[in-house]
Amino acid sequence: MSKTTHFGYETVSTTEKTERVGEVFASVASRYDVMNDLMSMGIHRVWKRFTIDLAAVRPGERVLDLASGTCDLAGKFARQVGPQGQVIASDINASMLSVGRDRMMDRGIVQAMDYVLANAEELPFPTDHFDCVTMAFGLRNVTDKDAALAEIQRVTRPGGRALILEFSKPTSAGFGKLYDEYSFKVLPRLGRYVAKDEASYRYLAESIRMHPDQDTLKGMMETAGFLRCQYYNLAGGICAVHRGFGA
C-alpha cells in the first residue's frame, strides 16, 4: 500500500504530492517574485533579510540554499562568501531553478554560485560539508519533512547553522482569524488575476495551515539531531525562522 500525505487539505499518495507540488511551482515560476510582493505587501523581503542576518555567513564559507527558487537568499550569500567560498542554489523544481539562475546571471552574480537540481529528502552532498544550510518557504511543500530535516542535519558540519524560514501559526487568535480571511479569500483572487492560477494559490494557503506550528517544528529539528534549536516569530507568528546547529 502506498504511503499517503497532505496536499493542502487533500489526502494523496506521496508520489502524487511530489508531482502536484512540481506542477504548482512550474505554473507560478515566471510570476513568483511579483506574487510574493503582492501577497506579503513586500514584507517577505524583511523576513528574508532577517534570515540572512541570522545566518551570519562569512567569507570563504560553504552555503547550501534549498528550495532556492528565484535565489533571493543565495544571491546575497554569494556576495558574502566571496571568491573563496561556495554557494549552491538547489531546488527540486527545474522551472524555479532556471528562473533563479537567469535572475542571478542578469544581476551579474556568477562568482561562487552553483546550481543543483535535487530533492531535499535525498541530498547529493557529502556529510558534514556545509557551514550553513538555509531553506526559505520550502519545507511545507516537502513530502517527508522528517527525512528532509535529517538530510539537512547530515550535510551541516558540526557547529554549522541550519535555518528554516517558513510560514507558521499566528500567536494571537484574533489576528489568526483575520489572516485566515486574507489567505482564503484574497490570496486565491490575487492568484487568479496576476498569476492566472487560482488553484495553485489556494493550495499554498492550505499548505500553510497544514504545516507544523513553531514548537512542533522545533521538536522535529531536535529529533533530526540539531542542537540549540530556537525560533524567532515574525509578523505576529505569520512567519518564523527556526535555527539549529550541527552536531
Side-chain angles (χ1 to χ4, degrees):
M1 182 180 293
S2 63
K3 294 182 179 179
T4 60
T5 187
H6 295 287
F7 178 81
Y9 289 162
E10 295 181 59
T11 299
V12 299
S13 71
T14 54
T15 301
E16 183 180 354
K17 175 169 180 173
T18 301
E19 292 172 351
R20 290 178 66 177
V21 168
E23 291 169 0
V24 166
F25 284 93
S27 172
V28 304
S30 64
R31 299 180 181 87
Y32 187 74
D33 288 329
V34 173
M35 280 299 299
N36 276 349
D37 281 329
L38 287 173
M39 287 189 300
S40 70
M41 293 173 284
I43 298 174
H44 75 100
R45 298 177 184 274
V46 177
W47 298 338
K48 290 172 181 174
R49 181 73 257 176
F50 180 84
T51 305
I52 290 165
D53 290 344
L54 197 63
V57 168
R58 297 181 291 274
E61 289 194 323
R62 289 193 292 245
V63 179
L64 171 63
D65 183 38
L66 293 169
S68 195
T70 54
C71 298
D72 280 350
L73 271 66
K76 294 289 194 305
F77 292 142
R79 296 188 187 281
Q80 291 175 336
V81 302
Q84 303 306 314
Q86 179 189 38
V87 175
I88 294 179
S90 180
D91 204 294
I92 193 174
N93 187 280
S95 298
M96 291 296 295
L97 196 61
S98 178
V99 169
R101 182 177 57 232
D102 291 346
R103 186 183 183 201
M104 294 298 99
M105 295 290 287
D106 289 345
R107 294 186 177 186
I109 302 174
V110 294
Q111 179 177 276
M113 286 287 294
D114 291 298
Y115 303 88
V116 175
L117 189 68
N119 185 338
E121 299 171 28
E122 299 178 74
L123 294 174
F125 307 115
T127 298
D128 299 339
H129 186 69
F130 294 100
D131 299 288
C132 183
V133 181
T134 58
M135 191 176 204
F137 303 117
L139 186 62
R140 73 181 189 280
N141 298 305
V142 172
T143 302
D144 189 336
K145 296 176 179 61
D146 290 317
L149 290 171
E151 277 291 270
I152 293 170
Q153 197 280 334
R154 180 184 65 79
V155 302
T156 302
R157 69 163 177 81
R161 298 87 65 202
L163 294 96
I164 308 293
L165 171 65
E166 189 54 89
F167 290 108
S168 200
K169 300 294 186 287
T171 55
S172 162
F175 183 45
K177 290 180 180 179
L178 290 174
Y179 183 45
D180 280 344
E181 286 288 311
Y182 172 78
S183 297
F184 291 104
K185 292 184 178 179
V186 177
L187 184 55
R189 290 175 184 171
L190 285 174
R192 182 196 312 166
Y193 295 118
V194 179
K196 312 303 181 188
D197 188 348
E198 180 176 352
S200 289
Y201 283 89
R202 184 176 296 108
Y203 157 72
L204 292 177
E206 292 176 358
S207 71
I208 291 168
R209 296 308 180 278
M210 298 302 293
H211 187 66
D213 64 22
Q214 290 91 323
D215 288 317
T216 301
L217 181 53
K218 178 174 178 283
M220 291 168 67
M221 291 182 69
E222 291 168 343
T223 299
F226 286 105
L227 306 176
R228 292 184 285 147
C229 298
Q230 59 189 139
Y231 60 82
Y232 303 81
N233 281 320
L234 305 174
I238 284 179
C239 188
V241 182
H242 283 70
R243 183 176 64 178
F245 292 86

